[in-house]
Amino acid sequence: MLRLAEQSRPKRVERRTPSFVLALVMFCSLSLLYVSNISRWSFDVDEIYTLHDSSQSISQILGYEKPLYYLICHLLLSVGFSDEWAIRLPAALSAALVAPTIYLLLWTRRDSRWAILAAVLLMGSPWLFQLSQFGRFYATVVLFSAIAVGCLVRCLRGSSIGWWIGSFV
């Protein structure tokens, strides 16, 4: 009788892949929040330096120690974005990518609760919000650090060598 009851009960289907829709919703909601507040504050002194360095020629920017953020800002300035938007948009989008990145990298087949918890905590972080509104490369550093730590966690779980390489790149 017990065996018959177990057979008639529908089996629970386990998710084998992370929800990319959830990651997309996280990114879109954070992007909306961060991008809508880009013009809220006036320029800080460091942002004026970013604007100055991004306005240089590409050959001068490539001579900087860390040129990636300045190249992105230079491209946005040359396309016609305003000064505020050109230097703050890369930071806002980088900060909006942190929570979905953490979710996707920490997700496991057995337990996705920790990945969701980490992403929700990051989504409500005032520190990350502040970094998203500041026209410097700090939010991008947080994003790349999150990717490196996530790759290292995946590597330590016994995944492929690609995660090991990703944690150092």
Side-chain angles (χ1 to χ4, degrees), residues 8-29:
S8 65
R9 188 179 327 155
K11 293 188 177 191
R12 185 176 165 194
V13 177
E14 292 184 29
R15 291 189 65 90
R16 297 275 185 221
T17 59
S19 174
F20 291 102
V21 173
L22 180 60
L24 184 64
V25 167
M26 283 184 217
F27 173 71
C28 290
S29 62

Side-chain angles (χ1 to χ4, degrees), residues 23 26 94 96-107 119 143 146-148 150:
M26 283 184 217
S94 294
L97 279 170
V98 172
T101 300
I102 287 293
Y103 166 73
L104 291 173
L105 288 171
L106 293 182
W107 185 90
L143 174 64
I147 291 170

Side-chain angles (χ1 to χ4, degrees), residues 56-68 70-71:
Q56 304 298 322
S57 68
I58 291 180
S59 62
Q60 287 177 318
I61 292 173
L62 289 174
Y64 296 154
E65 188 176 335
K66 298 171 182 75
L68 179 63
Y70 302 116
L71 284 172

